[in-house]
Amino acid sequence: MKKKIVIGLLGTILDSGTSRKRWEKWRPTVSIGQFDDFLVDRFEILHTRDSNRLAHCVRDDLAFVSPESELNLHTVDFNDPWDFEEVYGRLYDFAKAYPFDPENEEYYLHITTGTHVAQICLFLLSESRIVPGSLIQTSPQSRNRTGEAGTYRIIDLDLSQYSKIHERFNRQTRDDVDFLKSGIATRNKRFNEMIEEIEHVALRSNSPLLLLGPTGAGKSQLANRIHALKKTHNTVDGSFVEVNCATLRGDQAMAMIFGHTKGAFTGAVNAREGLMKRADQGILFLDEIGELDLDVQAMLLRALETGHFLPVGSDQESTSHFQLIAGTNQDLSKRVQEGLFRHDLLARINLWTFLLPGLAERPEDIEPNINFEMEQFEQNHGQQVRFARDAQKRFLSFSTSNEALWSGNFRDLNACVTRMATLSSGGVIDSATVEAEIQRLHKTWIELGSPPKPSVAKKHIVDEDMWLSLDLFDQIQLRQVLKVCKESRSLSDAGRKLFEKSRLQKQSSNDSDRLRKYLAKFDITWKDIEAVRSA
Ligand SMILES: Nc1ncnc2c1ncn2[C@@H]1O[C@H](COP(=O)(O)OP(=O)(O)OP(=O)(O)O)[C@@H](O)[C@H]1O
Ligand SMILES: [Mg+2]
């Protein structure tokens, strides 16, 4: 038989009373010592310093009604017993320090006493198994039978009767994940796990999210759905405000995002509040964030960190508390290396980063996505469509093969299903339609070539493979050399700065030549450096 241990807070009202009359009233903590069918081996009674006298009285009364029990008092001081954070923190600390021995002892958290806040905290500690025990709830027998022990109920959150509550939570989570996936029963393990994680993070955090992935992989749609999901859970109040940073340039970007005053620049006839303000209490989705100018990035970072920013032309700060979702198809660390993206901003937004795979990387999801696109077509056009059996087999085998590049991802899939459905005769997509579509897709992918490389690719001095093949020693040295080169007017200017000491000691005659040879080891020419600078 395991020992029974009851842990509870002294109830300053329900357990109160130090006069003789106290025996006439129901006192929850004392009542636990009076049940014949629930013999407690040890009581751990938590009380504040103020109620020291009452605690000793309750302990003596328990010793009287339950002489076999060991009785321990613990002082826990809450400055404010209604402050959730504080109460949870104190109880958590107590639990963490307590020498639980579940192999030999059973624990019961008494939840009848203490403030509601304390009761909820005890529930949480049990539910999270930080306290490996059940809850015990006591109640008086009836109003006119005072002085009796009353009744008790044990609530074990681990028991199957409570699995219904868990099941309800799980069902809600499943619905939310389905919602993020647009109701498509995707099969790719990695994708499904990622969406589950996004659901989890989206509902618990207002920190920035960074969505990476190729064009058409669904970044914008996912950002939109995250907002809608948060709305249904009341974890966001404001609107979803979206902007594609690639369409913003220079001052216009500043004004669009941060707003401007009347007359801030030529053409600013009226003041405008800007997208950041519009996203107050909501979500600001900055698509193609890598395209933002450095000065906009600096202001964005400040707004993220402080909630303050300065509209163009204004000397008064504006505020906005928004969640940032950033989308990009670019490698932001490379942009940082090239001095085109702020390192501190990347560090700030690189907390929850999700890489959405392209469709070709999820072959097992192509079929459910085709079905989804067919249903969408039916809904939008009010016309039923289906594949003839052979045609479906052929199309599936092509679309999941290496030949199918799906370089535009969902955009390609959507266009191709729309074309086949439109060309179907009597709502049936036959083999001829499928063959023609396969030819058309091949042609598109050949004409477009591989997906256009992000514009930044041209701006790299050293490509990633080359960089990764270098020793750390060379990486560090080369990074510094390139930094000096980028800041220099010419090869000889850079050479002069880099070999200043040895030139003074007359150890090297030609700085430019020495630098040129060093760069050549990494296949870099001065032209490459100039190209990056002018990009
Ligand atoms: N999970 C999905 N299932 C089916 N269709 C989707 C899915 N996600 C997005 N789409 C559709 O694919 C198209 C492209 O999606 P979206 O604009 O979200 O891609 P993106 O990654 O933001 O692309 P870009 O990098 O070009 O901005 C949209 O028409 C969208 O409705
Ligand atoms: Mg997008």
Side-chain angles (χ1 to χ4, degrees), residues 189-288:
K189 189 163 171 282
R190 197 160 66 90
F191 181 76
N192 287 347
E193 283 171 357
M194 184 186 71
I195 296 289
E196 275 169 35
E197 199 180 330
I198 293 178
E199 186 264 352
H200 197 87
V201 171
L203 293 179
R204 283 166 185 75
S205 166
N206 282 328
S207 303
L209 299 179
L210 178 58
L211 304 180
L212 307 174
T215 181
K219 302 180 290 294
S220 302
Q221 172 159 318
L222 184 59
N224 211 312
R225 289 209 157 228
I226 289 173
H227 176 258
L229 180 69
K230 290 182 80 123
K231 263 253 134 103
T232 60
H233 283 260
N234 298 315
T235 53
V236 74
D237 285 336
S239 330
F240 180 73
V241 179
E242 174 175 9
V243 62
N244 186 331
C245 303
T247 61
L248 305 178
R249 280 280 159 256
D251 291 347
Q252 184 214 3
M254 277 282 190
M256 276 289 283
I257 296 177
F258 303 105
H260 61 81
T261 54
K262 184 176 171 182
F265 48 84
T266 328
V269 188
N270 293 309
R272 275 179 74 169
E273 69 172 4
L275 302 172
M276 187 167 282
K277 187 74 188 172
R278 217 188 297 157
D280 195 9
Q281 309 297 328
I283 289 184
L284 179 64
F285 176 49
L286 294 181
D287 204 358
E288 311 287 356

Side-chain angles (χ1 to χ4, degrees), residues 300-323:
L300 172 64
L301 177 64
R302 182 147 179 276
L304 277 173
E305 284 176 342
T306 64
H308 297 292
F309 58 92
L310 209 54
V312 177
S314 172
D315 52 10
Q316 284 212 326
E317 287 201 318
S318 188
T319 55
S320 173
H321 295 283
F322 61 95
Q323 180 175 19

Side-chain angles (χ1 to χ4, degrees), residues 294-524:
L294 287 164
D295 48 349
V296 181
Q297 292 176 27
M299 185 102 97
L300 172 64
L301 177 64
R302 182 147 179 276
L304 277 173
E305 284 176 342
T306 64
H308 297 292
F309 58 92
L310 209 54
V312 177
S314 172
D315 52 10
Q316 284 212 326
E317 287 201 318
S318 188
T319 55
S320 173
H321 295 283
F322 61 95
Q323 180 175 19
L324 178 74
I325 303 186
T328 185
N329 188 7
Q330 298 181 338
D331 180 343
L332 291 180
S333 350
K334 273 191 190 163
R335 302 271 296 173
V336 170
Q337 272 179 22
E338 291 155 4
L340 297 169
F341 201 81
R342 290 184 66 108
H343 180 262
D344 45 10
L345 179 60
L346 178 59
R348 188 80 178 79
I349 64 175
N350 198 9
L351 174 66
W352 298 110
T353 302
F354 300 98
L355 173 61
L356 270 67
L359 206 47
E361 290 170 64
R362 301 162 50 194
E364 57 280 67
D365 286 344
I366 292 200
E367 187 177 6
N369 274 302
I370 293 174
N371 296 339
F372 173 78
E373 295 293 349
M374 305 263 283
E375 283 162 23
Q376 293 289 103
F377 183 89
E378 285 177 10
Q379 274 177 22
N380 296 339
H381 296 82
Q383 183 201 341
Q384 278 216 326
V385 268
R386 62 183 177 82
F387 279 100
R389 188 184 298 246
D390 284 356
Q392 184 174 31
K393 227 169 125 189
R394 166 77 176 118
F395 186 66
L396 263 183
S397 113
F398 163 77
S399 54
T400 52
S401 71
N402 291 340
E403 284 175 67
L405 301 180
W406 298 119
S407 43
N409 293 296
F410 286 116
R411 291 202 182 92
D412 283 352
L413 191 70
N414 174 278
C416 118
V417 170
T418 305
R419 278 192 298 261
M420 289 192 294
T422 309
L423 293 174
S424 67
S425 48
V428 178
I429 302 171
D430 58 19
S431 297
T433 309
V434 164
E435 287 307 332
E437 182 57 32
I438 291 176
Q439 294 316 317
R440 192 181 288 118
L441 285 170
H442 270 313
K443 196 159 163 277
T444 316
W445 291 328
I446 289 167
E447 273 168 12
L448 291 178
S450 47
K453 290 252 183 310
S455 54
V456 66
K458 283 186 246 105
K459 299 178 195 162
H460 296 162
I461 301 176
V462 183
D463 72 27
E464 193 176 356
D465 290 344
M466 164 81 156
W467 191 259
L468 292 176
S469 71
L470 297 180
D471 282 332
L472 181 63
F473 178 88
D474 286 324
Q475 286 184 6
I476 292 170
Q477 191 176 42
L478 182 57
R479 185 173 294 137
Q480 281 306 108
V481 170
L482 290 176
K483 185 167 179 286
V484 174
C485 288
K486 279 196 261 174
E487 290 162 0
S488 305
R489 280 171 284 118
S490 61
L491 183 70
S492 53
D493 181 30
R496 256 195 307 279
K497 288 179 193 157
L498 286 162
F499 301 115
E500 193 184 359
K501 295 277 166 6
S502 43
R503 191 179 62 250
L504 291 176
Q505 291 158 10
K506 303 222 176 334
Q507 285 173 0
S508 157
S509 52
N510 191 336
D511 306 329
S512 309
D513 200 37
R514 196 169 162 194
L515 177 57
R516 190 183 298 113
K517 281 183 185 147
Y518 172 80
L519 293 174
K521 276 205 304 190
F522 305 101
D523 216 12
I524 301 171

